[in-house]
Amino acid sequence: MDLALYESIFRFSEALTAAYDRLGEVRQRQANVTPAAAPGEHFETKDGRFLVLAVANTPMFHRLCSAMDESSWLNDPRYATPEARWRHISDLNERVRCWVNSKSVSELQERLDQAGVAYSLVYSIEDIFADPHFAVRGNIVTVDSPRIGPMKMQGVVPRFVGVEPRPISPAPELGQHTADVLRSMLGLSDDTVRALAERQIIGLSHDR
């Protein structure tokens, strides 16, 4: 596998590259809106959570209209095509914002799921811990720290199919491997390593 850290994010920049190549367009900051989705934003729910909607095509928009009981939008020329909806993104997002803000997460999930609308909730770390998908994927692992005991942290990705991931070790203590390196790579004896430590030329961890 040959993968740079930035490449996984660059791949998600959708039409950014093509727009610059063909149109010379340099996109500026535009918060959470994008020409690829109208309506599209992070909308606050009645109970203080945030719901992400990115309606990128007309069939999905029709499903959203059904979920919102807004059948009149289907015949509104302002919302007839993705391009038209983008031209009226501010008005459209405001209408969706008012609807989302009037409902709890459970109400929204029921309506959107029933209508087949794609959405996501913005997760806190508490939500991540409670999500069984993160657990099944092994995204949260336990590391045994010699200083503070067992603690949870993010697992390592990506993984290879059929290869069992190695357990994550805590960061080494200062001087923890000094003696091993001096013995194995420089061939120093235990007495020499001990003498260097006593003269404070090298530092060893407490268990050495």
Side-chain angles (χ1 to χ4, degrees):
M1 178 178 288
D2 182 8
L3 179 69
L5 287 175
Y6 74 87
E7 289 172 333
S8 60
I9 301 301
F10 184 59
R11 185 64 183 83
F12 280 102
S13 61
E14 33 95 12
L16 200 67
T17 305
Y20 179 71
D21 175 54
R22 301 300 297 170
L23 305 174
E25 177 183 302
V26 179
R27 189 180 301 176
Q28 304 300 318
R29 293 182 180 89
Q30 54 191 37
N32 297 319
V33 298
T34 168
E41 245 291 6
H42 293 51
F43 303 99
E44 187 172 7
T45 69
K46 183 179 181 179
D47 39 7
R49 298 285 300 279
F50 280 88
L51 183 83
V52 182
L53 279 174
V55 181
N57 56 59
T58 297
M60 187 65 70
F61 179 70
H62 289 177
R63 294 175 200 167
L64 178 64
C65 293
S66 174
M68 296 176 62
D69 295 324
E70 292 285 1
S71 58
S72 64
W73 290 8
L74 300 176
N75 301 313
D76 192 326
R78 297 175 302 169
Y79 305 149
T81 65
E83 294 80 11
R85 291 193 292 275
W86 172 246
R87 288 195 297 270
H88 298 90
I89 183 69
S90 296
D91 172 69
L92 190 52
N93 273 352
E94 178 60 21
R95 290 186 171 196
V96 175
R97 184 196 67 77
C98 291
W99 179 73
V100 172
N101 193 244
S102 71
K103 305 218 171 347
S104 67
V105 166
S106 59
E107 291 174 308
L108 291 164
Q109 288 178 315
E110 182 178 358
R111 282 175 172 261
L112 295 172
D113 287 344
Q114 186 174 9
V117 178
Y119 68 91
S120 176
L121 289 168
V122 176
Y123 266 20
S124 69
I125 190 60
E126 183 178 18
D127 298 319
I128 290 174
F129 265 66
D131 191 321
H133 188 79
F134 280 81
V136 170
R137 291 283 299 166
N139 297 135
I140 300 175
V141 297
T142 300
V143 177
D144 192 14
S145 168
R147 287 181 178 267
I148 61 176
M151 66 176 180
K152 303 283 188 184
M153 66 180 298
Q154 301 95 316
V156 175
V157 293
R159 295 192 296 269
F160 295 95
V161 175
V163 178
E164 188 69 22
R166 292 182 298 176
I168 299 176
S169 300
E173 296 287 320
L174 182 63
Q176 180 176 332
H177 299 113
T178 300
D180 293 336
V181 170
L182 293 176
R183 294 186 190 111
S184 62
M185 300 186 68
L186 298 183
L188 300 186
S189 66
D190 290 346
D191 290 340
T192 302
V193 170
R194 194 177 305 110
L196 291 172
E198 290 172 353
R199 294 166 59 191
Q200 297 185 347
I201 296 174
I202 62 171
L204 305 176
S205 61
H206 297 301
D207 58 346
R208 294 291 177 181

